[in-house]
Amino acid sequence: MAIRNIRQYGDELLRKKSRKVDKIDKRILTLIEDMKETMYSANGVGLAAPQVGILKRVVVIDVGEGPIAFINPEILETKGRYVDSEGCLSIPGKDGMVERPEYVKAKTLNEKGEEIIVEGTQLMARAMCHEFDHLDGVLFIDKLIESGEE
Ligand code: NI
């Protein structure tokens, strides 16, 4: 395993759309292991492949319940909305309020290539939306809510 460099805001690659993974081979599994290690070393709760320079639809998330890898994830259903503070490992030192669903249900392939359903609420739902957005070149700063108070 290896820690990879995290692309920083301003890097054009962060704005590109990632491609679907068509084969879960050793390269993809190594990428996932490296992404987990990179996420933990940066004290993040999620990381998307474009953040380490790979335009593939791969995400890792750990909100404190163990790591989950998502390959070609798709959101099936959302419920509720709530606003909370958010940040991004590619935009260090910046955070802001973003509205996200309270509940998210997604389908994804796991590392074995099995299609699984992952449900998340609160922080997990937020992390899923944030990281999946990265796969389409969308950053949380695109979705900031004007606070109106400081
Ligand atoms: Ni991010």
Side-chain angles (χ1 to χ4, degrees):
M1 293 210 292
I3 293 172
R4 302 201 184 191
N5 285 328
I6 298 178
R7 302 285 179 122
Q8 299 297 298
Y9 182 64
D11 189 319
E12 286 191 7
L13 199 129
L14 291 172
R15 290 305 195 175
K16 300 212 158 122
K17 202 168 156 68
S18 291
R19 291 177 301 272
K20 277 198 167 184
V21 173
D22 42 39
K23 187 160 175 270
I24 301 170
D25 55 14
K26 197 157 182 291
R27 281 174 74 94
I28 294 293
L29 295 175
T30 301
L31 170 67
I32 289 170
E33 290 311 304
D34 287 356
M35 285 172 61
K36 288 178 191 168
E37 191 173 352
T38 304
M39 170 180 73
Y40 291 131
S41 80
N43 294 312
V45 298
L47 193 67
Q51 290 182 275
V52 294
I54 307 290
L55 289 171
K56 297 268 190 197
R57 302 189 82 80
V58 175
V59 159
V60 297
I61 293 175
D62 187 345
V63 294
E65 295 160 359
I68 301 181
F70 298 80
I71 301 166
N72 302 338
E74 276 178 56
I75 289 177
L76 299 176
E77 191 185 338
T78 66
K79 282 184 206 156
R81 308 291 298 173
Y82 82 112
V83 175
D84 204 349
S85 178
E86 211 164 291
C88 179
L89 293 177
S90 291
I91 314 174
K94 169 119 182 133
D95 55 38
M97 303 305 276
V98 181
E99 188 180 79
R100 298 286 190 187
E102 184 107 41
Y103 164 88
V104 173
K105 179 179 177 180
K107 71 170 181 180
T108 181
L109 297 178
N110 66 14
E111 288 139 299
K112 294 176 192 156
E114 301 160 339
E115 190 173 288
I116 58 165
I117 298 290
V118 179
E119 294 175 291
T121 59
Q122 299 278 332
L123 179 59
M124 183 61 182
R126 180 167 296 275
M128 287 163 73
C129 292
H130 176 117
E131 301 308 332
F132 299 170
D133 273 353
H134 273 297
L135 305 179
D136 293 318
V138 175
L139 303 174
F140 84 96
I141 51 169
D142 304 338
K143 299 187 165 179
L144 287 180
I145 287 176
E146 293 289 337
S147 70
E149 51 184 301
E150 273 303 317

